[in-house]
Amino acid sequence: MAAAKVALLLLLAAIGCNAAPAPEACQRLAKRLPTKNLHEIFGEWVLVWSVSDFHVGQDLLRNLTSSHVEFKLHADNKTIEYNEKNTFSNSCTSYFINLTAPSDDAEHHTWTIHSIRLEKNGVEVEYNDTGDVEFYESCDDCLLMTYKSSRMKFLLSYRKEGSHRDVEQHKVAHDDNKKLAECLGVPHDKPFIYDGVTGLPL
Ligand SMILES: *[C@@H]1O[C@H](CO)[C@@H](O)[C@H](O)[C@H]1NC(C)=O
Ligand SMILES: *[C@@H]1O[C@H](CO)[C@@H](O)[C@H](O)[C@H]1NC(C)=O
Ligand SMILES: *[C@@H]1O[C@H](CO)[C@@H](O)[C@H](O)[C@H]1NC(C)=O
Ligand SMILES: *[C@@H]1O[C@H](CO)[C@@H](O)[C@H](O)[C@H]1NC(C)=O
């Protein structure tokens, strides 16, 4: 009895210290997208909210003005083409990425970055990084994912092109986004928040 009480107090103290969300909240928010529902990710998306766990990523997000991604499945069903276009105040970047599925038949796939081509202001630049991508369950016209490179992790929240201008609607999701960031160990004090008006990269 006494031991149980001490254990409970220690548990409460631990929760109080790092202010982690309750495990139930993480179970509700951090739900990986089942591989059988992968079709939900294909199409074009606009970034509305994002955070990173490393200062280099946070600097990129601070300068970002808009970001657009497209996901397409290759005919082999094992490769996802992941094209990302970003605009910054005075430049733009495009990433052309191929993701490959793991060989196992897991319920939730972690997609490995197989190759990346980077263009800055339309000119190809040398770029070489490793990493992976995981998708999470989200609302109907939403896409939620993590991008983990060798140095840092991003949590990225997208809306379908078309509903990306409804900034008031995006705000409704901010609390859940922040809690999910905490569950995944990503600080959320320096988020990118799309303003709903900046034009999308062409
Ligand atoms: C962000 O913008 C500032 C000011 O224009 C610039 O000094 C800095 O290099 C930029 N950082 C990145 C990562 O683009
Ligand atoms: C890919 O998936 C589609 C739909 O499930 C299927 O019709 C097609 O045969 C698959 N192609 C390969 C190469 O497995
Ligand atoms: C991705 O795969 C396609 C088809 O195999 C290929 O044409 C393209 O060059 C690849 N992209 C990169 C960035 O390697
Ligand atoms: C990319 O980096 C990996 C690991 O550091 C290395 O093995 C590979 O040769 C590099 N590729 C290029 C094209 O630089």
Side-chain angles (χ1 to χ4, degrees):
M1 168 79 180
K5 223 177 207 171
V6 169
L8 179 63
L9 287 174
L10 285 174
L11 181 65
L12 289 174
I15 290 171
C17 265
N18 57 21
E24 311 85 69
C26 289
Q27 270 169 24
R28 178 175 65 82
L29 293 166
K31 268 204 200 117
R32 298 274 302 281
L33 184 73
T35 303
K36 66 177 166 58
N37 294 346
L38 188 70
H39 56 91
E40 293 175 12
I41 72 158
F42 299 118
E44 304 194 42
W45 303 90
V46 179
L47 185 66
V48 294
W49 189 91
S50 180
V51 289
S52 170
D53 66 352
F54 192 58
H55 66 93
V56 175
Q58 291 163 354
D59 282 351
L60 276 175
L61 291 178
R62 187 173 54 235
N63 286 2
L64 186 68
T65 54
S66 67
S67 177
H68 174 275
V69 298
E70 182 175 15
F71 288 101
K72 287 188 274 194
L73 187 65
H74 280 187
D76 63 3
N77 291 345
K78 301 232 171 283
T79 307
I80 297 178
E81 196 176 317
Y82 168 13
N83 298 333
E84 177 182 298
K85 292 185 175 173
N86 306 304
T87 59
F88 300 90
S89 46
N90 54 9
S91 65
C92 54
T93 56
S94 300
Y95 292 83
F96 304 92
I97 301 173
N98 283 341
L99 300 173
T100 48
S103 46
D104 64 53
D105 218 6
E107 189 187 350
H108 306 110
H109 274 172
T110 296
W111 293 82
T112 306
I113 295 172
H114 177 261
S115 52
I116 305 185
R117 191 160 58 81
L118 170 61
E119 288 179 5
K120 276 193 177 150
N121 298 322
V123 177
E124 186 163 350
V125 293
E126 181 79 39
Y127 189 74
N128 185 11
D129 203 358
T130 55
D132 59 52
V133 169
E134 290 179 345
F135 298 100
Y136 286 84
E137 285 191 351
S138 189
C139 45
D140 276 350
D141 63 348
C142 308
L143 173 74
L144 195 55
M145 59 178 267
T146 56
Y147 179 102
K148 198 160 61 185
S149 73
S150 53
R151 287 194 296 173
M152 58 194 152
K153 182 154 74 179
F154 290 89
L155 173 61
L156 302 140
S157 168
Y158 293 90
R159 291 284 168 142
K160 267 265 150 67
E161 216 179 308
S163 56
H164 66 281
R165 298 206 181 276
D166 192 348
V167 172
E168 289 308 313
Q169 243 253 281
H170 307 161
K171 278 188 191 151
V172 176
H174 285 178
D175 281 345
D176 276 355
N177 289 348
K178 286 184 202 164
K179 281 198 207 99
L180 176 59
E182 286 166 22
C183 296
L184 300 175
V186 183
H188 53 68
D189 56 326
K190 297 188 182 81
F192 163 78
I193 299 175
Y194 180 55
D195 62 9
V197 294
T198 301
L200 299 179
L202 295 173

